[in-house]
Amino acid sequence: MRDHETNGPASPARGGILTRRSLLAAGAVGAAGLLLTAGAKPPQGDWQTRTWDAIVLGAGAAGLGAARTLADAGRSVLVLEARNRIGGRMWTDRTSMSIPIERGAELVHGSTVSTWGLIDQLGLMTHRQTKLLGRLRPETPWIDGFHYESWQFPLGAPSYPNGLPAPTSGETALHWLQRVGITPDNYPIMLAAIEVDTEQFDVLPAKEAAKTIETALKYQGLTGPMPPEEYGDYRVIGGYDQVLQPLVAGIPLVLNAPVHTVDHAPGHVEVHTNRGTYSAKSLVVALPGGVLKHGDVVFNPPLPPEKSNGFQAISYLPVFKGILEFAHPVLPAGHPVPQGWDILTTFSKNPPSNWNASVGTPGFTGEVVVSWMTGGKAQELLDLPESQRFAAALDNLRTATGDQGLQYTKSSTYDWSKDQFARGAYPGPFSRWNANGLYSPVDDTIFWAGMVTSTVAWSRDTGVDAANSVLAALAGR
């Protein structure tokens, strides 16, 4: 299990962190051994005349995971990236605020995922979120998310002498909850939390709510701290993009090269970009599903119908992430929530959730707070002007802290649905649950990674899987 705070001195294996972090502060791109940027002259004599073992489309976690695996196996690999940076929807912004902030992916979800190999390799500091407090409404008490109380029904547990009614096919969570007599003012905190990180209950399948209610009924009568769990969420201090350095180091990489057409035949691809054409024996497509759905890349000949139909079935989850910097910690003295808090959620608010994005950062005396919501409620925020989004986020934080005079000094947000190289923050639960067939290779030549993943580790793992399939295909020719 990962330590709550890993900060170098606790372990010889984590020595030299501050020095290493200062070297990495410029970002992982600068560590690339072979990098073609916008101002560089394309190496026409080599990269565009040779036939690579593999070309990878996309320099996000999935694409770099594939490229690293192929390069380590001794295969020649070229990465083509549409943006002027690597990382995709992992985007550490080092200029907008006093400390690095994450416009996209921010958390390491779990203590055993593959990302930890990179974190440990670099000796990076991390902070685990352990002070998670939630309440249904401003007038209700704060409840610790790691206590059994977070599973209790505020108005009393319902009784089902004949067993909890099962959801019916196609039933929404909201309809099922109404049918079994659980009203919003009697939601356990852990049930209300589902809507913050996924679709709202009027869209979400009932089975998701039913599983949580089953657990809540088992925990009735229990109080106090729950047993420690292996699972947890962690932030990488100093910028999440640091973990990309080992993946990209020494990999031939062309930035500012959006792909518009892929000509393919068994054992050969021609990839056409606005910077020229590149050839390879195989291709790993590690682009967001929204880009493929939109048809931004044309495949010639067209892909099999089951593949293109699979792209069209991908749906993205609206996500609002507002980031506010404050000159001092936001909690006043005497507040019931302890300083160094991690998450404060008031579920009746929109956006409901705030997390502390600066706790654990050495030397920083202010506080950076992320305001968060997903699903239809997030779309309501995205439809507002940015100033009104920030006003809604500040209103929640003022209510949570009890300080109506609280004011931020800097603000930032990003609507990934307006980004032409992403077309959404990440796929919704329906796409993540129904990805069958999306990863099937075409002619043992075109392989797929990413697309409907929602975490950095998952994305990278699909890239590694795709690369291993490429290696098997190349070995068989």
Side-chain angles (χ1 to χ4, degrees):
M1 185 173 181
R2 297 287 166 178
D3 295 334
H4 164 55
E5 200 83 50
T6 54
N7 53 16
S11 169
R14 300 184 186 276
I17 292 174
L18 294 179
T19 300
R20 183 176 289 109
R21 185 181 300 108
S22 65
L23 293 173
L24 294 173
V29 173
L34 297 170
L35 177 64
L36 178 57
T37 59
K41 182 180 180 180
Q44 301 283 349
D46 183 12
W47 288 9
Q48 290 187 17
T49 58
R50 68 184 296 181
T51 297
W52 301 83
D53 287 326
I55 289 175
V56 176
L57 305 188
L64 294 180
R68 180 79 274 151
T69 302
L70 290 164
D72 288 349
R75 293 294 186 171
S76 62
V77 57
L78 173 68
V79 178
L80 302 175
E81 168 56 46
R83 304 180 190 275
N84 63 357
R85 60 173 180 82
I86 64 172
R89 285 164 290 177
M90 175 196 280
W91 182 9
T92 302
D93 179 349
R94 301 177 181 278
T95 61
S96 295
M97 295 191 179
S98 301
I99 62 172
I101 60 172
E102 308 295 348
R103 288 180 172 270
E106 182 156 357
L107 301 175
V108 182
H109 298 289
S111 59
T112 60
V113 295
S114 60
T115 315
W116 283 102
L118 302 170
I119 293 172
D120 291 339
Q121 177 182 342
L122 293 168
L124 301 176
M125 288 178 61
T126 63
H127 171 82
R128 184 182 183 185
Q129 295 181 331
T130 60
K131 299 177 182 178
L132 282 59
L133 286 299
R135 59 185 182 177
L136 290 181
R137 298 177 302 280
E139 65 272 18
T140 57
W142 292 105
I143 297 175
D144 191 318
F146 285 100
H147 283 210
Y148 283 109
E149 282 80 356
S150 64
W151 293 92
Q152 305 304 309
F153 295 85
L155 303 181
S159 177
Y160 303 103
N162 298 320
L164 184 66
T168 59
S169 178
E171 189 174 21
T172 67
L174 181 60
H175 185 274
W176 180 82
L177 288 165
Q178 293 172 338
R179 182 163 63 86
V180 301
I182 301 175
T183 57
D185 57 353
N186 201 26
Y187 285 178
I189 289 296
M190 294 306 293
L191 175 67
I194 294 176
E195 291 191 289
V196 177
D197 283 320
T198 185
E199 290 282 6
Q200 271 74 72
F201 289 152
D202 61 340
V203 175
L204 195 71
K207 64 179 182 180
E208 297 305 302
K211 289 188 296 185
T212 301
I213 294 300
E214 287 175 0
T215 302
L217 291 172
K218 293 177 183 178
Y219 287 162
Q220 295 310 295
L222 301 177
T223 61
M226 299 180 67
E229 295 181 353
E230 286 293 325
Y231 182 84
D233 288 328
Y234 301 76
R235 289 185 301 102
V236 177
I237 305 299
Y240 205 169
D241 67 348
Q242 296 173 96
V243 305
L244 300 176
Q245 184 202 16
L247 300 180
V248 75
I251 299 292
L253 168 67
V254 184
L255 298 178
N256 297 292
V259 173
H260 56 79
T261 306
V262 173
D263 296 328
H264 60 98
H268 186 76
V269 294
E270 297 282 340
V271 181
H272 305 278
T273 78
N274 64 348
R275 308 202 65 189
T277 297
Y278 303 87
S279 303
K281 301 173 185 176
S282 58
L283 180 70
V284 176
V285 180
L287 301 176
V291 171
L292 296 169
K293 177 179 182 176
H294 195 260
D296 295 321
V297 178
V298 175
F299 292 86
N300 182 34
L303 296 173
E306 58 270 21
K307 186 71 67 176
S308 54
N309 291 341
F311 296 155
Q312 293 307 308
I314 295 173
S315 61
Y316 268 63
L317 186 69
V319 172
F320 169 71
K321 184 178 187 180
I323 308 173
L324 306 176
E325 179 177 343
F326 297 86
H328 53 78
V330 300
L331 292 182
H335 195 279
V337 172
Q339 296 289 337
W341 60 278
D342 289 304
I343 294 180
L344 294 176
T345 302
T346 302
F347 292 100
S348 62
K349 290 286 191 176
N350 189 28
S353 190
N354 303 291
W355 76 65
N356 191 332
S358 56
V359 63
T361 302
F364 182 60
T365 58
E367 206 150 71
V368 173
V369 177
V370 168
S371 184
W372 177 263
M373 188 52 174
T374 62
K377 290 292 185 180
Q379 189 60 55
E380 292 178 8
L381 293 165
L382 294 175
D383 290 339
L384 297 173
E386 279 193 8
S387 61
Q388 293 183 33
R389 299 178 212 167
F390 292 133
L394 182 60
D395 174 67
N396 180 8
L397 198 57
R398 284 175 170 175
T399 302
T401 62
D403 182 358
Q404 291 303 310
L406 188 65
Q407 184 57 55
Y408 56 84
T409 59
K410 299 176 183 178
S411 60
S412 179
T413 189
Y414 193 74
D415 185 351
W416 287 95
S417 69
K418 300 296 194 297
D419 185 317
Q420 65 173 321
F421 301 133
R423 302 199 180 276
Y426 54 78
F430 302 106
S431 296
R432 300 198 298 268
W433 296 332
N434 300 300
N436 293 338
L438 278 180
Y439 294 99
S440 301
V442 175
D443 293 332
D444 242 10
T445 300
I446 303 179
F447 301 84
W448 310 87
M451 294 190 292
V452 294
T453 53
S454 59
T455 69
V456 171
W458 184 11
S459 297
R460 181 200 178 194
D461 291 347
T462 65
V464 172
D465 289 344
N468 286 329
S469 296
V470 169
L471 293 173
L474 292 173
R477 291 175 188 164

